[in-house]
Amino acid sequence: MFEPLEVISRKNALFNALKDAIFSGQLSSGDALKELHLAKQFNVSQSVIREALSQLEQVGLVTKIPNKGTVVKIMSDKENRERMAVRFKLEELACQFAIPYMQAKDFNQLQNYLNEMQVAILQEQPLQITKNDLEFHQYIWKKSKNNILYNTLTQIVTPLFYISLNMQNLQHWTTKMTSIVTMHEKYLNAIKTGDKKQINSAILSHARDSVLISETSKTTQNRKGVIHQEYN
């Protein structure tokens, strides 16, 4: 099922392999991640498996359930909305903290993520698009120089990217992927201004666009109402 791991940094390699399996839909919500089975699959010790599963739990992709063990995160629509609301409020704060530390090289790096995202779109690689998207945001959070804020946002947001990429839903929004770069460019341009109002407006717009792109179960109008209520 999985490719063999290289010896170097097996824990990180295992973490990334399982994360990609979750993001790509190879592992679905509710799937059990049994230590012994994974140890045999990847040819590593169970202690390495436990460390990787602990990392996955820290970023919110798996959950430990009594009498069942570790399973891939199951997220209700209510929790999804709650995470989205908290995410963008904290992201406003992260951007404000990051502004004094942002230099030309940082804006260039953010633009590089968008360029890579554009290539991934042309090559129809949704997993790579999602990675670039998350890296774009994490770079800004990291520049806030606030580790608690960075770690909190990573834990809150990572499952949201998994939900948006869920392979069962990809058919509904793949055609809208070309708008992802545009909405991130607006976000980046607002950060470049350093103006708090413009940044907050861009984050609100980004919140609405993100929800519309990942929409699968409710009408656009209803979800717009939720976003308007929660972000204003």
Side-chain angles (χ1 to χ4, degrees):
M1 182 179 180
F2 298 106
E3 295 293 328
L5 298 178
E6 296 182 6
V7 176
I8 301 175
S9 189
R10 285 192 170 186
K11 182 186 71 174
N12 290 335
L14 178 60
F15 166 76
N16 288 324
L18 290 174
K19 183 176 70 173
D20 285 354
I22 292 171
F23 269 56
S24 67
Q26 192 174 0
L27 291 171
S28 302
S29 296
D31 282 355
L33 300 174
K34 299 186 181 299
E35 292 180 10
L36 182 59
H37 175 72
L38 291 173
K40 290 179 179 179
Q41 285 277 322
F42 287 102
N43 193 27
V44 297
S45 67
Q46 284 185 250
S47 63
V48 174
I49 297 294
R50 280 193 291 272
E51 290 177 354
L53 293 180
S54 178
Q55 279 187 283
L56 289 169
E57 185 177 21
Q58 289 173 16
V59 298
L61 287 176
V62 303
T63 306
K64 289 183 179 179
I65 299 178
N67 302 320
K68 188 172 183 180
T70 303
V71 302
V72 178
K73 176 75 176 177
I74 301 173
M75 193 185 305
S76 66
D77 192 57
K78 179 177 182 293
E79 181 180 349
N80 188 44
R81 291 197 305 271
E82 290 173 346
R83 283 177 179 264
M84 290 285 281
V86 174
R87 171 205 171 165
F88 288 107
K89 288 299 182 182
L90 290 182
E91 195 146 18
E92 288 180 10
L93 190 61
C95 285
Q96 292 169 20
F97 286 173
I99 287 171
Y101 302 104
M102 296 293 287
Q103 301 177 14
K105 63 179 182 180
D106 299 308
F107 295 126
N108 289 337
Q109 180 58 58
L110 291 173
Q111 185 60 55
N112 286 339
Y113 287 132
L114 300 188
N115 294 341
E116 292 173 4
M117 196 184 300
Q118 184 65 63
V119 172
I121 289 172
L122 294 174
Q123 296 177 348
E124 298 183 353
Q125 297 178 333
L127 179 57
Q128 187 58 48
I129 296 168
T130 300
K131 286 182 177 180
N132 293 144
D133 194 341
L134 184 55
E135 287 169 345
F136 175 92
H137 291 283
Q138 285 183 312
Y139 190 93
I140 298 170
W141 307 340
K142 199 71 173 179
K143 292 299 293 187
S144 73
K145 306 295 184 181
N146 187 314
N147 288 332
I148 293 177
L149 187 55
Y150 172 83
N151 291 331
T152 301
L153 275 164
T154 296
Q155 194 278 334
I156 290 172
V157 174
T158 304
L160 295 176
F161 279 82
Y162 158 58
I163 292 298
S164 71
L165 185 61
N166 188 306
M167 295 303 289
Q168 296 179 359
N169 298 331
L170 267 179
Q171 295 179 355
H172 298 278
W173 63 273
T174 298
T175 56
K176 299 181 181 179
M177 281 184 174
T178 53
S179 66
I180 292 178
V181 174
T182 301
M183 59 193 258
H184 282 83
E185 286 176 340
K186 293 177 181 178
Y187 193 123
L188 176 55
N189 289 335
I191 295 175
K192 286 180 179 179
T193 68
D195 183 81
K196 181 178 177 180
K197 289 184 178 180
Q198 287 192 47
I199 292 172
N200 290 351
S201 177
I203 291 174
L204 174 59
S205 177
H206 189 71
R208 289 168 171 158
D209 290 343
S210 297
V211 170
L212 293 178
I213 286 177
S214 61
E215 177 62 55
T216 58
S217 61
K218 292 189 176 182
T219 65
T220 296
Q221 190 61 42
N222 286 343
R223 186 59 62 88
K224 276 186 176 180
V226 171
I227 292 298
H228 180 77
Q229 180 180 358
E230 293 184 348
Y231 299 118
N232 285 286

